[in-house]
Structures are given as C-alpha cells and as structure tokens.
C-alpha cells in the first residue's frame, strides 16, 4: 500500500435544540427547516401584527436564527414600518438607496449579471461599531428555482471548536474592514460594478471596527463565532499574513454543512435573520433569471 494520508474527518452529530422543540406561538406557526437553524413562519400578516405578535416573532428569531415568512404584501413604506418595530433601520452607505426610501437597498440581479451581491459567507456590516442585529429581504421577483439565501449557525461553530482553540481565542478581537469587499481593487470590485446595486466606494467611506472573534448574544447569553472572510482582516495586533492561517481554518469550520440551512423565496416572501449568531450567503445559481429584493438592516448593539 502506498501509505496515503487521510485528510478528512467526520463531523460528529450536532444540532440546535430549538429546531426539535419549536414553541407553540399564539400568533403564528413555525416549521423548522434543518437541525441547525431556520424556520418557515405561517399565519402572520406583517402589516397588521400586534405588538404581542412582533414580540413572538423576535422570540422565534432567537430560537431559530433565520425565518422565512411567505405571502406578504408589503409596500416599501410598510416594510420600513415593520422594520422600525424591531429597531432603527440602518442604511448601507455603499449601495444606492431606493428612490424616496433611503432605509431600503434594492438588490437586483439582472439575467446577465455574473455575481450576486452578498455572494460570500458573511455577517452584515460588521465594519461598524454597532453592526445590524437583523437583516430582512422582501422578495419582489425571484427565479423559479435557485436564488436561496444560505445560513450557518455560529453558536454551533463556536461550541464545536476544539477546547484548546476556544481557550486561545477567548478575549481575542478581530479587525473588520470594508476594504476587502468595497475597496478599489478589492475582490468584489467586479461584482459591485456588475451588480445593479451600484456600490459607491471612495477611500473616505471605508472604515473598520474591532470586535470579539466570539461574541456573546445579548438575549441568549451564548457565544457565537464572529469571523468571516468578507470583513475580518486580521486578529488585533497581528498582520493579515500572521492571521490568515488560523482565520482560514475558522472560516472553513464556520460553514460546516451540519451548521447550515437554505431558505427559498417566492414573490412576497420576507426573510429575516439574526446577524449576531449566523452567517449568510446569497446563492448565485440562476443565470438568465432576475431576482429583486428590498433589503433593510436593523441596528444592533456593540458586540461583546
Ligand atoms: C445579503 O448579503 O444581505 C443578501 C443576501 C441575499 O441576497 O440572499
């Protein structure tokens, strides 16, 4: 025998407990999507939901991390009104805002577009001191199949790390920058110029922040891995070169299939997720078709 080296290892069984014991909510039903995260919500109209229903929806987000709510009929003003019930809408300065509705960024992929905005694993806007807690996408148009948003549960990513590595990472902060995704000459420059969201980037708009690489969720008190290759440049006090070997290992671990879910849209669907404990990814698997989403992000707290 040539003595080959085995390079793979098996992921031991892992799951997110609320997926197996969904609550009986008073105002809607939830149907979990995978053992890791994600749920489809049925029976709520986001235009008329009571305060109690909105509080339940936030509890469902705590439990399932990402929700898909189908069959909504939201004007831009109604989507903004819903977002305001969850917190302060936070415009993304690197994209063109919707005419008359600065809180909304329209994500439009034309049939000829090659890349999808958000087509890398990331948590939104972690270059800010107070990154968004929630992101919501309201679907105007989507391909008959494809164009899902993928998610990865970062509680599971943190909890399944080797205990020695977790101890090493305790208290460590990372540098999160827009330079990677939005700087001139960045990997996404071509994406931004192809995508119809028309990113505007000028050196004075680029910014960065320091955050813990494992952040504690303010509601659950659980730690979640908080690194991604779209924003995390390095560990604090280390160069990018010094940081990359470990960062690459963490990025690969963060998207282990057992931590993941995909949510599928139809026109009128609204997806909403918690950026404090999951990563997401826009799948670019529908050339020749159009996808149009209205996106709002809701400000969160400073990660600790
Ligand atoms: C995003 O990254 O915010 C967009 C995700 C998507 O379009 O599916």
């Amino acid at each position: 025998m040539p003595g080959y080296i085995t390079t793979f290892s098996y992921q031991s069984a892992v799951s997110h407990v609320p997926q197996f014991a969904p609550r009986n909510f008073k105002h809607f039903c939830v149907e979990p999507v995978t053992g890791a995260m994600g749920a489809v919500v049925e029976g709520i109209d986001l235009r008329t939901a009571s305060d109690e229903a909105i509080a339940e929806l936030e509890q469902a987000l705590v439990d399932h991390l990402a929700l898909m709510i189908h069959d909504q009929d939201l004007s831009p003003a109604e989507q903004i009104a819903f977002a305001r019930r969850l917190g302060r809408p936070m415009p993304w300065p690197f994209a063109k805002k919707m005419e008359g509705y600065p809180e909304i960024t329209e994500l439009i992929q034309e049939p000829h577009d090659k890349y999808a905005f958000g087509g890398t694993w990331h948590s939104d806007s972690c270059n800010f001191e107070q990154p968004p807690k929630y992101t919501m996408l309201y679907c105007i148009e989507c391909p008959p199949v494809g164009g899902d948003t993928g998610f990865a549960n970062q509680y599971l990513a943190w909890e399944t790390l080797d205990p020695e590595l977790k101890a090493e990472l305790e208290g460590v902060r990372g540098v999160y920058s827009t330079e990677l995704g939005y700087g001139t000459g960045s990997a996404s420059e071509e994406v931004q110029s192809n995508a119809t969201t028309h990113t505007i980037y000028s050196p004075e708009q680029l910014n960065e922040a320091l955050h813990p690489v494992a952040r504690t969720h303010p509601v659950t008190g659980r730690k979640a891995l908080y690194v991604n290759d779209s924003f995390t440049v390095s560990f604090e006090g280390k160069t990018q070169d010094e940081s990359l070997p470990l960062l690459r290992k963490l990025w690969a671990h963060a998207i282990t299939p057992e931590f993941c879910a995909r949510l599928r849209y139809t026109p009128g669907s609204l997806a909403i997720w918690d950026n404090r404990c999951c990563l997401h990814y826009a799948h670019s698997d529908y050339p020749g078709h159009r996808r149009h989403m209205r996106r709002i992000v809701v400000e969160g707290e400073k990660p600790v």
Side-chain angles (χ1 to χ4, degrees):
M1 293 289 281
Y4 297 127
I5 299 164
T6 303
T7 54
F8 64 83
S9 58
Y10 288 98
Q11 174 61 49
S12 58
V14 64
S15 70
H16 180 65
V17 174
Q19 296 302 101
F20 296 87
R23 283 174 213 259
N24 284 320
F25 289 108
K26 207 166 120 194
H27 297 276
F28 50 80
C29 301
V30 291
E31 185 71 41
V33 170
T34 70
M37 64 173 292
V40 175
V41 172
E42 271 172 24
I44 188 169
D45 181 340
L46 297 175
R47 293 171 305 184
T48 54
S50 64
D51 289 347
E52 199 182 53
I54 295 290
E56 279 199 339
L57 204 62
E58 285 203 86
Q59 181 60 55
L61 266 173
V62 168
D63 292 350
H64 304 290
L65 285 57
L67 305 175
M68 180 58 85
I69 311 163
H70 293 301
D71 302 323
Q72 300 300 305
D73 184 9
L74 297 174
S75 65
E78 286 165 338
Q79 189 184 348
I80 294 167
F82 166 60
R84 287 214 174 104
R85 298 181 76 184
L86 304 171
R88 188 180 82 83
M90 191 182 161
W92 175 237
F94 299 92
K96 192 169 125 189
K97 294 162 184 60
M98 186 176 176
E99 184 106 24
Y101 302 98
E103 298 88 346
I104 296 181
T105 300
E106 291 199 275
L107 305 185
I108 302 174
Q109 293 301 123
E110 297 293 359
H112 59 266
D113 280 340
K114 202 167 157 194
Y115 303 104
F117 175 95
T120 59
W121 284 103
H122 63 285
S123 175
D124 279 329
S125 312
C126 35
N127 54 295
F128 291 124
E129 284 299 314
Q130 283 180 244
K133 55 180 177 179
Y134 305 136
T135 300
M136 69 176 76
L137 295 188
Y138 178 60
C139 175
I140 305 296
E141 187 178 352
C142 61
V145 64
D148 300 351
T149 307
F151 297 95
N153 179 329
Q154 296 305 290
Y155 292 132
L156 296 180
W158 173 252
E159 287 159 11
T160 55
L161 279 179
D162 179 75
E164 275 178 29
L165 181 52
K166 278 206 290 203
E168 193 186 315
L169 290 173
E170 283 290 349
V172 171
R173 295 198 298 176
V175 180
Y176 297 75
S177 173
T178 43
E179 183 85 40
L180 301 176
Y182 296 89
T184 310
S186 70
S188 3
E189 194 175 15
E190 195 184 352
V191 182
Q192 304 310 333
S193 55
N194 276 347
T196 46
T197 45
H198 304 297
T199 296
I200 309 149
Y201 38 89
S202 60
E204 55 285 1
Q205 276 184 307
L206 298 173
N207 69 340
E208 54 186 49
L210 288 169
H211 297 306
V213 299
R215 64 179 293 183
T216 304
H217 194 284
V219 180
T220 63
R222 278 172 79 181
K223 273 198 167 164
L225 190 61
Y226 194 61
V227 291
N228 64 82
D229 61 7
S230 308
F231 289 100
T232 318
V233 183
S234 64
F235 297 111
E236 185 182 19
K238 294 209 163 124
T239 64
Q240 188 179 22
D241 276 354
E242 287 164 346
S243 308
L244 273 177
L246 179 52
L247 280 176
R248 285 205 167 104
K249 187 173 159 176
L250 294 173
W251 294 333
H253 174 73
I255 54 170
T256 297
E258 282 79 358
F259 308 159
C260 293
R262 280 172 78 144
L263 294 179
R264 185 170 176 182
Y265 299 89
T266 54
S269 305
L270 183 130
I272 180 164
W273 60 86
D274 188 334
N275 285 297
R276 300 167 294 189
C277 51
C278 69
L279 296 179
H280 62 279
Y281 180 100
H283 286 266
S284 183
D285 55 356
Y286 51 95
H289 296 274
R290 195 168 191 269
R291 182 179 187 264
H292 178 185
M293 302 281 172
R294 290 189 185 139
R295 176 180 186 269
I296 300 182
V297 299
V298 177
E299 189 175 51
E301 43 302 283
K302 189 171 166 48
V304 289

